[in-house]
Amino acid sequence: MRTIRIGSGAGYSGDRIEPAVELAEKGGIQYLVFECLGERTVALAQRARLKNPDDGFDPLLEARMRAVLPACAKNGIKIVTNMGAANPWAAVRKTAQIAASLGLSRLKIAAVMGDDVLDACKQHDLPLIEIDGTLKTLGNRIVSANAYLGAEPMAAALKAGADIVITGRASDPALFLAPMIDAFNWPMDDWNLLGRGTVAGHLLECAGQVTGGYFADPGFKDVAGLARLGFPIGEVSEDGGLVITKVAGSGGEVSARTCKEQLLYEVHDPARYMQPDVVADFSQVSVEEIGPDRVRVSGGRGQPRPDTLKISVGYVDGYIGEGQMSYAGPGAEARARLALEIVRERLKLTKVEASEWRFDLIGIDALHGTQRSQGSAPYEVRVRVAGRTDTLKEAVRIGDEVETLYTNGPAGGGGAFKSARDIVAVASVLLPRDLVAPQVRFVEA
Amino acid sequence: MAKLRDIAHSRTGDKGNISNISVIAFDARHYPLLCEQVTAARVKAHFEGIVFGEVVRYELPNIAALNFVLDQALGGGVTRSLALDAHGKSLSSALLDLEIELPPDHDRGAA
C-alpha cells in the first residue's frame, strides 16, 4: 500500500526554525506543513495590510522559507502553509523572490484566497459561538472576518503541480489533509477516510506538542533533549493508516502518552470534532507503540461535513493597561498586599477609568485565585495590576501608577514593568458554506 | 491520600471562553477509578471561582482518558482576557492537584 510522509515544520507563528530544516534534510518526507496562524493573527495581519498592501502575511515567512527551500527543492518536498495570513498573494510573490535569490528556478507557487468574508458578515447578523452575543453587538468594531477553509483548494493547487501552497485562514488539520487528498485521490465524501486524515492532521498540527514538547513534568514525565526537540512526521497510508514518528537522533519522544495528550488538545466532544471537510470522530481512536519513537494510531472515523464554515471575526476591544512590581524576602507577601492596596486607592483618587480590573499577586493567586494556593509564605511575590480601558491614554496611566511604587510604595519593590496595548479580540460565527468561494492563483519563480 | 498527578497526566486546550482539560491514566487499570472519582461535579467544585459555566465530561475508554469541557472558564475569552494566563494553559496543573483515594493494594503504575 502507498504511504506518504508528512512533516510538521511549525506549530505556531513564532516556533523554532531548525526542526523544519532537520525534517527537510533527514526526514524522508514528501510534504512539509507549517501551521503558523493563531486565532487573532489574521486580524492583526489585516491591519498590517491596510497600512501596506504588500504586507499582511506572516513576519517569519522569509526566515522560514530561506531556511528550508534549498533542502525542499533538492529533495522534491512540497510545502503547504497558512503563512499567507491576511495576504496570501503577497506572501506568494515574496516567496518567489526568495526562491529566485536562492537560485531556485521553476518552482510553482500557489496562493489560496477567498477566506476573507468580511462583506458577507456585514450583511448577516449571526450568533457568536463560544461567547455570548451576535455580530450586531460587535457593530462597527469588526476589523476582519475569515473563514476556516477546508482542504479542497489546497489539494487542487497541489494537483495542479504546485510546489508551495500558501493559504490564509484554513482549518489546521486541513493543511495536512490536503497532501493526503493530493497523493491518494481520496473522494471528498469518504467521511471515514477524511476522519482518519483529520486525526493525523490534528496530531501533527502543533508540531513539537506530539513529540514531547509541552509535556515534561520532572519525576513524573521525563523527556530528554527538549532543547533540540524533533518535530513530528506522519506516515499516512492510502487507507488512512497512521504512524507518528520523528527524525532519529532528534530530542523528545513519540510515545502512546504524548499522542494521547495531543489527541485531546483543544477538543470538546471527541465524537464530533467539527472540521470544514468532515465531522471527525476521535472517540474510538487507539494508540500503540510499535517501535522506538513510533506510534500507530487507528480507529479514526468521520461523519458528513457541516453545512456551515467557522468564521473568525476580529474586532477592536479597547485597551489593556498593566503594571508589575516584585517584593522578596521576609514579609514579601505583606508588602505586596500593601502595594496592591495603595495602587487600588491611587487609581480611585486619580479617577482612572476601567471597565474591568485584576489585582494579582504572582506567586500566590494570579493563576488560579486564592482557593488553590497552599498558604505557605513564598520567598518572592510579584504585584500585577491590569485594567480594561476605552483609550490608550487611560491604559498608560495604570502602569504608570504601579511604577510610582518605587518611591511612594512599600520598602524594597523592584523590577517595575508596565505596558499598554490595544486589543483585537476574536469571536466566532458559523456561515453557510455557499457564501464562501475559495480561489487558487499561481506564480512561477 | 494520593493526588491525581500520581496516576494521570493532563493537557489544557482553549477555544474562545471554553477550556478543555484532558485527564489520561498512566496505567489503563486506573481508568475505572478516574471515571468514579473525577466526576464533572467534582471538577466544577475544584475550579470554583475560576470556571463559571457548566462542566461536561467525555469518556474515552480506548485511551483510558477523560475530557472535561469547562464553559465560561477563560475570563471572557483568550483574546480579551485580563488574566496573566489568558489561555488557561496552567489549569491542567491545578486539576492534577485533586485528591484521589487509591485502593489499599494500589500499584502506582507508570508514575
Side-chain angles (χ1 to χ4, degrees):
Chain A
M1 198 179 313
R2 280 189 62 214
T3 297
I4 55 170
R5 284 165 65 92
I6 308 173
S8 177
Y12 80 101
S13 62
D15 214 340
R16 294 178 185 168
I17 302 266
E18 330 82 78
V21 180
E22 181 178 58
L23 284 172
E25 287 173 350
K26 301 180 199 161
I29 55 173
Q30 292 82 48
Y31 299 89
L32 180 56
V33 176
F34 294 92
E35 195 292 285
C36 297
L37 202 49
E39 236 189 340
R40 71 175 140 190
T41 324
V42 178
L44 300 174
Q46 182 64 31
R47 288 181 145 190
R49 184 184 181 168
L50 288 174
K51 279 186 201 150
N52 174 0
D54 293 324
D55 201 351
F57 54 85
D58 188 284
L60 284 181
L61 175 117
E62 178 159 9
R64 291 196 196 282
M65 290 294 182
R66 280 199 186 278
V68 300
L69 278 183
C72 286
K74 178 168 166 256
N75 296 324
I77 299 165
K78 292 173 180 259
I79 295 173
V80 178
T81 180
N82 54 12
M83 280 191 276
N87 201 349
W89 182 239
V92 155
R93 280 177 294 151
K94 181 76 192 174
T95 305
Q97 284 171 15
I98 295 163
S101 76
L102 292 168
L104 303 169
S105 58
R106 287 198 296 272
L107 282 182
K108 213 170 166 185
I109 309 172
V112 173
M113 294 174 293
D115 61 305
D116 186 337
V117 290
L118 187 55
D119 289 338
C121 283
K122 282 182 175 163
Q123 287 158 25
H124 298 80
D125 190 28
L126 299 162
L128 307 179
I129 57 172
E130 293 154 359
I131 58 172
D132 296 331
T134 71
L135 276 181
K136 209 163 256 172
T137 56
L138 303 179
N140 58 9
R141 294 187 291 153
I142 296 175
V143 294
S144 67
N146 295 77
Y148 281 85
L149 300 179
E152 267 181 302
M154 292 183 274
L158 290 168
K159 272 268 170 266
D163 299 291
I164 303 172
V165 180
I166 302 180
T167 184
R169 185 85 278 166
S171 133
D172 296 346
L175 299 170
F176 296 85
L177 202 48
M180 301 174 212
I181 294 162
D182 172 44
F184 304 134
N185 296 307
W186 285 351
M188 291 310 292
D189 59 357
D190 191 324
W191 311 117
N192 281 329
L193 278 179
L194 296 175
R196 278 174 222 149
T198 298
V199 170
H202 176 71
L203 286 171
L204 294 167
E205 68 171 83
C206 293
Q209 277 198 186
V210 77
T211 53
Y214 209 63
F215 182 85
D217 191 359
F220 289 76
K221 298 187 291 178
D222 290 297
V223 181
L226 288 176
R228 45 181 189 84
L229 184 66
F231 281 4
I233 298 164
E235 289 179 6
V236 184
S237 58
E238 207 162 356
D239 63 354
L242 170 67
V243 173
I244 301 285
T245 185
K246 66 185 183 71
V247 173
S250 62
E253 73 172 53
V254 177
S255 58
R257 58 187 195 165
T258 65
C259 291
K260 288 177 190 175
E261 267 196 30
Q262 190 54 23
L263 183 73
L264 294 177
Y265 179 67
E266 291 186 337
V267 168
H268 293 171
D269 180 351
R272 295 188 59 76
Y273 187 64
M274 305 293 281
Q275 287 294 299
D277 299 306
V278 62
V279 177
D281 178 358
F282 297 174
S283 66
Q284 307 302 313
V285 167
S286 300
V287 299
E288 183 194 356
E289 293 177 0
I290 56 171
D293 294 315
R294 288 181 67 79
V295 172
R296 178 178 288 134
V297 181
S298 55
R301 301 188 301 192
Q303 289 166 29
R305 69 185 196 182
D307 296 327
T308 52
L309 292 178
K310 183 173 165 177
I311 314 295
S312 266
V313 180
Y315 65 100
V316 175
D317 194 22
Y319 298 82
I320 292 180
E322 181 180 341
Q324 298 184 7
M325 185 75 94
S326 279
Y327 297 88
E333 181 177 342
R335 280 177 285 126
R337 286 190 189 279
L338 175 59
L340 279 190
E341 272 173 46
I342 295 165
V343 173
R344 207 188 280 266
E345 196 179 336
R346 285 290 304 169
L347 291 168
K348 240 182 242 162
L349 279 174
T350 59
K351 298 192 172 57
V352 175
E353 303 253 350
S355 56
E356 189 186 344
W357 289 105
R358 289 278 302 216
F359 295 89
D360 295 327
L361 295 173
I362 297 174
I364 296 178
D365 63 9
L367 292 175
H368 302 144
T370 47
Q371 195 207 359
R372 299 249 58 81
S373 61
Q374 306 293 318
S376 57
Y379 179 77
E380 45 188 72
V381 182
R382 189 158 175 84
V383 161
R384 174 178 184 267
V385 177
R388 191 186 310 288
T389 65
D390 288 338
T391 65
L392 180 62
K393 197 176 154 212
E394 209 65 3
V396 166
R397 294 177 67 197
I398 296 169
D400 285 351
E401 192 54 62
V402 174
E403 191 188 55
T404 69
L405 288 168
Y406 264 142
T407 51
N408 301 275
F417 159 87
K418 58 182 177 178
S419 79
R421 55 192 195 273
D422 66 328
I423 299 302
V424 174
V426 167
S428 302
V429 296
L430 299 173
L431 190 71
R433 64 165 64 237
D434 55 13
L435 295 175
V436 184
Q439 309 113 42
V440 178
R441 193 172 164 193
F442 286 91
V443 66
E444 299 215 15
Chain B
M1 194 67 79
K3 295 281 190 177
L4 183 55
R5 183 174 181 228
D6 295 319
I7 60 164
H9 55 114
S10 176
R11 178 171 290 180
T12 311
D14 58 275
K15 286 206 189 292
N17 200 16
I18 302 172
S19 175
N20 86 285
I21 310 180
S22 61
V23 174
I24 306 159
F26 283 115
D27 183 332
R29 285 175 299 172
H30 288 139
Y31 178 66
L33 190 150
L34 292 184
C35 291
E36 195 189 304
Q37 294 189 36
V38 192
T39 60
R42 239 190 121 192
V43 170
K44 168 120 176 134
H46 191 72
F47 285 121
E48 193 194 337
I50 302 174
V51 174
F52 298 97
E54 198 188 2
V55 173
V56 176
R57 183 177 91 170
Y58 296 96
E59 297 171 8
L60 295 107
N62 278 5
I63 56 168
L66 300 173
N67 188 38
F68 293 90
V69 178
L70 296 74
D71 198 19
Q72 297 175 54
L74 298 175
V78 173
T79 52
R80 69 186 307 269
S81 169
L82 285 188
L84 180 61
D85 174 16
H87 295 85
K89 296 266 187 192
S90 64
L91 291 175
S92 56
S93 304
L95 187 55
L96 290 179
D97 199 34
L98 198 73
E99 290 194 333
I100 293 291
E101 219 166 306
L102 296 173
D105 59 341
H106 167 70
D107 156 19
R108 281 195 176 190

